[in-house]
Amino acid sequence: ARLAQEGPFLFPVAHDSLRGGVTCPEINELFNKRSSTDYQGELETDCKLIQKLIERTGLKTRRWANDGETAFGHLQHAVSAALLEAGVASSKIDLLIYVGVSKGFVEPANAYVVAKDLGLHAAECFDITDACMSWTRALSLIDSLFQTGKYENAMVLNAEFNLTNNNYANYRLTSRADFEYSLPTFTIGEAATATILTKSAEPFRFKFLSKPELADKCLIPTAAYKSFSGASAAGNKRGVDCFTSYGKLLHDHLSVELPKVINHLDLTAVDVVFTHASSRTDWQKYCDDAGIGSKVYHIYQDTGNLVSASIPTAMHSAIRDGRLHRGDRVLLWVGSAGMSFASVSFVY
């Protein structure tokens, strides 16, 4: 696969208004006035503790959609801009993959609905759902499909708007004991991205590693989750459609498993590194330990955790900032719920 030529190949949303602050009054409003009126503990003291713990990850602001905005509106903007800047007609997109956690339809695949509403009628469609790894999984599959000769131009879309429609149930806390599996909720941001890839003779290099024994440490269950799981059902601590995530435990495993997916690479040849945006502090340490700390480009501090949109948003921002240029050797380094870990190496 080759990322489409001429200009940015993806166009994430850049919100004009940042509604997702991380100050103590904003945190207080989120889980006190919105949902946690029965909180057992010293509310003001614990708000300050949450703020301190979140700031320790390097987070300053989160980007959320404004009132009245929709995920589709932002996605439509991203697609139009990506097609224009890549110089690819919509009729030439023959493969469309919608990825990520946030979506509007279980049936059909969300990709079909997007293709219909955006006029991408020539594309074969399907979804990939693999938490924050979804975008990376799509790149891997597209790279393989290109080698079959069946497709020429592919588009990967996501609209990670997990807080739209005033979905504040994730902030419902009852006591400080909830912090262990709830703090990552306070890092989530929102964005839409469109990525266009064109067929090339030079394939990407991927390496994946999975640890399904950790599957119940980061969950968003549906109403039917008990019928579709065994012992893992006990891992749901927050309720249906809410985000249970043991952030510290997950990052402890990231520090152990991530080096295993880059040990086959010549890291001295890497020009720029993009990581999943779950903590600037922790990912900087992982990169420092690997000897590539000076090459990593972070967005987490400004956007929060954008789920499967983290890396494409970071790449677009790096293009805009002059940190990513044609011919650069790129390393993508990802850790995700599941758990899964991956590296991707390619020349942009």
Side-chain angles (χ1 to χ4, degrees):
R2 179 167 57 87
L3 300 174
Q5 295 187 25
E6 304 302 327
F9 63 92
L10 49 86
F11 198 90
V13 172
H15 298 297
D16 293 327
S17 178
L18 304 183
R19 295 199 304 114
V22 291
T23 65
C24 188
E26 290 162 328
I27 291 170
N28 185 312
E29 179 182 3
L30 283 173
F31 82 90
N32 178 34
K33 295 180 181 178
R34 302 281 184 170
S35 58
S36 293
T37 55
D38 57 347
Y39 188 79
Q40 302 298 309
E42 295 294 330
L43 186 60
E44 294 300 326
T45 299
D46 288 353
C47 276
K48 292 177 182 178
L49 175 59
I50 291 176
Q51 180 182 356
K52 180 179 179 180
L53 293 172
I54 296 304
E55 288 178 345
R56 190 177 295 171
T57 70
L59 186 62
K60 296 179 180 178
T61 58
R62 296 164 295 186
R63 293 179 181 257
W64 292 354
N66 286 309
D67 292 335
E69 295 179 342
T70 65
F72 179 74
H74 285 296
L75 187 61
Q76 185 176 35
H77 174 64
V79 170
S80 297
L83 289 169
L84 179 64
E85 296 187 29
V88 177
S90 60
S91 60
K92 297 298 183 181
I93 301 296
D94 48 20
L95 178 62
L96 176 65
I97 305 177
Y98 186 92
V99 303
V101 174
S102 183
K103 62 182 64 178
F105 295 87
V106 175
E107 183 177 338
N110 210 73
Y112 290 100
V113 177
V114 172
K116 176 181 184 296
D117 290 344
L118 294 181
L120 299 169
H121 301 311
E124 292 189 23
C125 305
F126 59 90
D127 291 358
I128 290 180
T129 301
D130 190 13
C132 298
M133 189 65 74
S134 301
W135 185 85
T136 308
R137 291 284 186 188
L139 261 60
S140 176
L141 183 57
I142 289 169
D143 188 62
S144 297
L145 290 173
F146 276 165
Q147 294 177 48
T148 69
K150 186 176 180 181
Y151 303 100
E152 297 288 335
N153 301 291
M155 179 180 284
V156 183
L157 303 179
N158 53 24
E160 294 288 13
F161 288 81
N162 294 287
L163 296 169
T164 53
N165 300 316
N166 294 323
N167 181 20
Y168 293 103
N170 278 289
Y171 296 101
R172 183 176 294 113
L173 305 178
T174 60
S175 71
R176 187 179 290 191
D178 295 341
F179 290 8
E180 181 183 11
Y181 46 81
S182 303
L183 288 175
T185 289
F186 291 88
T187 71
I188 300 298
E190 298 185 324
T193 71
T195 308
I196 297 173
L197 299 98
T198 58
K199 186 177 179 181
S200 173
E202 181 182 354
F204 289 12
R205 297 182 64 187
F206 296 87
K207 187 170 183 178
F208 290 94
L209 173 66
S210 295
K211 293 199 71 173
E213 59 266 36
L214 298 170
D216 60 347
K217 303 307 178 186
C218 197
L219 298 169
I220 302 178
T222 69
Y225 78 96
K226 290 182 179 179
S227 180
F228 285 86
S229 61
S232 293
N236 175 27
K237 301 293 186 181
R238 308 295 310 284
V240 171
D241 293 329
C242 289
F243 184 38
T244 295
S245 182
Y246 291 80
K248 183 181 184 305
L249 182 148
L250 297 175
H251 280 94
D252 287 346
H253 283 280
L254 283 170
S255 66
V256 175
E257 304 299 334
L258 280 171
K260 299 176 183 178
V261 295
I262 61 168
N263 57 15
H264 64 297
L265 297 173
D266 177 10
L267 297 180
T268 63
V270 172
D271 295 303
V272 60
V273 180
F274 300 99
T275 72
H276 175 52
S278 55
S279 166
R280 177 179 176 131
T281 302
D282 286 344
W283 279 99
Q284 183 63 53
K285 183 179 186 305
Y286 306 149
C287 290
D288 288 342
D289 291 345
I292 51 177
S294 63
K295 301 176 180 181
V296 63
Y297 182 91
H298 295 287
I299 61 167
Y300 172 82
Q301 68 280 358
D302 299 318
T303 66
N305 182 344
L306 299 181
V307 199
S308 73
S310 291
I311 286 182
T313 301
M315 293 183 67
H316 173 79
S317 298
I319 294 167
R320 180 193 59 201
D321 293 346
R323 282 288 305 275
L324 177 60
H325 308 89
R326 290 292 175 185
D328 284 348
R329 168 63 66 176
V330 176
L331 171 64
L332 311 181
W333 209 13
V334 192
S336 174
M339 285 186 79
S340 63
F341 316 88
S343 66
V344 188
S345 176
F346 62 94
V347 173
Y348 173 60

